[in-house]
Amino acid sequence: MAKFFGPEIIETGPGSAVVTERKAATALLVGTAPIGDVHETPEKRAEYVNKTHTFTRLEDAVAAFGGHVEGFTIPAALEDAFAQAQTNGIGEIDVVNVYDPDVHNVGNPVANTDIVGSFSASGQASGLQLAYSSYQRIGRFAKILLAPGFTGMTGVRAALQTIANRTRGRALIDAPSGVTAAQVIEARGPDGAFDFQFADRRLVAMWPHIAMMDTASGEERLSPYSSAFAGRWLSTIMENGYHHSPSNHALVLEDTEVPVTYIPGDPSSEVQQLRAAGIVTVEERYGKGPHTSGNRSSAYPTDTDLRNLLHVQFIEDMLDEEVIHYLDQHKDRNGNLARIEFIEERVNDRFKALMSGDDPVIYDGQFRFDRTKTTAASVADQQFFWRTDYAPVGVMETLTVDRNIDLDLISNALGLAA
């Protein structure tokens, strides 16, 4: 190479990319919408049948899918979710409508198979299966999955469970309308009147149904709890971060379908029993109104791993995604020592950021190249091993006070002789 005269800049490192946070306040809603009310022709309606549309404002969603009409689930669910918005909104909701007025009618209603969806011979997804295409479409997967009104139908819960585990999401599963606290707790076991016997860190058991004010009619309507809870969880993420629990946050609703007894400090009250059974519920407080109640997934109480806590699984998912997407840039690059150390440094810089400030995401964490598991043979096979160790920030779920009468305090107060 000919000699270069003067200043020059050359790149000698493996790159300057940094580890960045993925979007967290995201949800996928699958259901039915009265699209015939807002789109006149089959050609126009086709754009809103088994196609994903993303919204950050309720007005845009109503313009696309119509307002609430009895028998349709999407408009009501969106109203319930957006009603929980705080200052920073609720993030993004992906919406999939499976109802086609040109196909579905009295003799051919929407079925569980429509909600579950499928892949056509040409690879076109429908229903819940559209969850898998969101990364290619907009660069992320939805973190909260819901299909209110359909989760009790055959195959829907199983489909949500599979999708949530593959895409690092969590699915909200509603108990049926009209059941009592005792019935929903019993249904967590083998002898219940309905099937609520599931245990998965990515499935959240929800009860009861709630009464919401319908914006079109001005009257109360009954809704699955999952929609309002999803909106409140999303708004909590927007306001406080994904590392905060969705429990103990104010809800906008009119009432619960069935009264839920909450007695602070009483372990026998219904809220306490429901939470002990791994059910997320509502607790009503005098002077403060209804609040979300429950930190645990349906894996609890069988699963004692920290990841049955909703915020812990969320933290781990976000950490995993940040690391995976960062490492993806180094895929198929040479595994030399300089690159290995560069990767370690960048990821650990990110972990340090998550440990800092007044509201850390993790107590501590370390990312390192595993020099024990990685061997000469594995390198020859082009496989390099890494390890993440971390400690998620906990929530004060149980606050125990040791109370005692101290007679010395009487003596001190009255100046009595020792």
Side-chain angles (χ1 to χ4, degrees):
M1 179 182 295
K3 179 176 175 58
F4 178 82
F5 297 91
E8 65 174 336
I9 297 174
I10 61 173
E11 182 176 313
T12 58
S16 60
V18 296
V19 187
T20 58
E21 182 177 314
R22 316 300 296 179
K23 283 187 177 181
T26 54
L28 170 67
L29 167 64
V30 177
T32 57
I35 59 171
D37 293 351
V38 288
H39 303 290
E40 298 175 353
T41 66
E43 292 74 23
K44 291 180 179 179
R45 291 192 285 268
E47 181 58 28
Y48 297 93
V49 179
N50 282 311
K51 302 284 179 64
T52 307
H53 294 265
T54 302
F55 302 97
T56 58
R57 302 193 315 158
L58 178 60
E59 310 89 272
D60 298 332
V62 171
F65 290 103
H68 176 246
V69 176
E70 187 70 28
F72 293 93
T73 62
I74 287 175
L78 289 170
E79 282 190 8
D80 298 350
F82 278 100
Q84 315 307 320
Q86 303 295 302
T87 304
N88 293 320
I90 65 172
E92 299 176 346
I93 298 186
D94 300 336
V95 181
V96 175
N97 164 57
V98 304
Y99 173 75
D100 185 348
D102 301 303
V103 173
H104 299 108
N105 50 52
V106 176
N108 182 30
V110 168
N112 59 322
T113 52
D114 294 307
I115 300 296
V116 171
S118 62
F119 290 92
S120 68
S122 62
Q124 179 63 47
S126 63
L128 283 167
Q129 306 310 311
L130 281 160
Y132 295 119
S133 64
S134 66
Y135 177 73
Q136 284 73 25
R137 189 174 67 89
I138 50 178
R140 52 87 177 147
F141 291 109
K143 293 292 177 285
I144 299 173
L145 310 174
L146 61 160
F150 296 102
T151 55
M153 297 177 71
T154 302
V156 175
R157 187 173 75 202
L160 285 166
Q161 184 174 16
T162 299
I163 294 166
N165 276 282
R166 290 187 66 187
T167 64
R168 296 183 182 84
R170 58 233 78 237
L172 310 185
I173 311 298
D174 290 291
S177 173
V179 300
T180 65
Q183 288 173 322
V184 75
I185 291 170
E186 185 180 27
R188 294 286 282 147
D191 300 322
F194 61 95
D195 179 17
F196 223 46
Q197 192 179 11
F198 50 90
D200 192 294
R201 295 172 190 165
R202 298 193 177 279
L203 296 183
V204 184
M206 315 288 303
W207 180 88
H209 276 49
I210 56 175
M212 297 293 293
M213 184 61 67
D214 184 70
T215 56
S217 66
E219 299 178 354
E220 287 186 8
R221 54 171 168 73
L222 204 60
S223 288
Y225 180 29
S226 59
S227 303
F229 182 83
R232 195 61 185 90
W233 196 351
L234 290 169
S235 66
T236 298
I237 294 169
M238 293 295 291
E239 296 291 321
N240 308 118
Y242 61 79
H243 58 299
H244 285 257
S245 168
S247 186
N248 195 14
H249 294 282
L251 282 165
V252 175
L253 56 85
E254 298 301 312
D255 203 353
T256 55
E257 179 188 22
V258 179
V260 187
T261 303
Y262 172 59
I263 304 174
D266 179 8
S268 65
S269 71
E270 286 179 340
V271 167
Q272 296 285 347
Q273 294 181 52
L274 288 159
R275 290 181 61 158
I279 299 166
V280 172
T281 186
V282 178
E283 60 186 51
E284 185 83 30
R285 302 180 185 177
Y286 179 77
K288 292 187 176 180
H291 282 59
T292 57
S293 185
N295 292 313
R296 310 273 181 162
S297 69
S298 66
Y300 187 78
T302 304
D303 183 0
T304 59
D305 189 286
L306 266 177
R307 282 166 288 194
N308 72 54
L309 286 158
L310 299 175
H311 83 287
V312 171
Q313 184 65 73
F314 218 130
I315 289 172
E316 185 167 283
D317 290 343
M318 297 301 291
L319 290 180
D320 286 350
E321 285 198 2
E322 290 187 33
V323 171
I324 285 172
H325 286 279
Y326 177 70
L327 290 179
D328 198 50
Q329 301 170 78
H330 295 276
K331 178 179 61 183
D332 301 326
R333 300 293 183 262
N334 287 354
N336 54 55
L337 185 60
R339 183 174 294 276
I340 288 170
E341 291 178 343
F342 179 84
I343 292 171
E344 283 183 319
E345 181 182 350
R346 284 293 186 269
V347 177
N348 282 312
D349 283 347
R350 175 59 180 159
F351 279 18
K352 289 174 185 175
L354 295 174
M355 293 156 49
S356 64
D358 296 331
D359 187 25
V361 175
I362 56 177
Y363 290 125
D364 203 346
Q366 183 185 48
F367 179 82
R368 60 183 174 84
F369 177 58
D370 194 329
R371 289 165 170 80
T372 300
K373 198 170 184 180
T374 304
T375 64
S378 73
V379 172
D381 195 35
Q382 317 310 307
Q383 185 167 18
F384 293 71
F385 292 92
W386 305 81
R387 182 179 178 89
T388 295
D389 293 289
Y390 79 103
V393 166
V395 297
M396 294 186 289
E397 186 177 55
T398 303
L399 297 87
T400 303
V401 178
D402 187 358
R403 180 198 357 95
N404 180 51
I405 294 178
D406 187 346
L407 297 182
D408 289 339
L409 297 178
I410 298 177
S411 298
N412 294 340
L414 299 180
L416 304 179

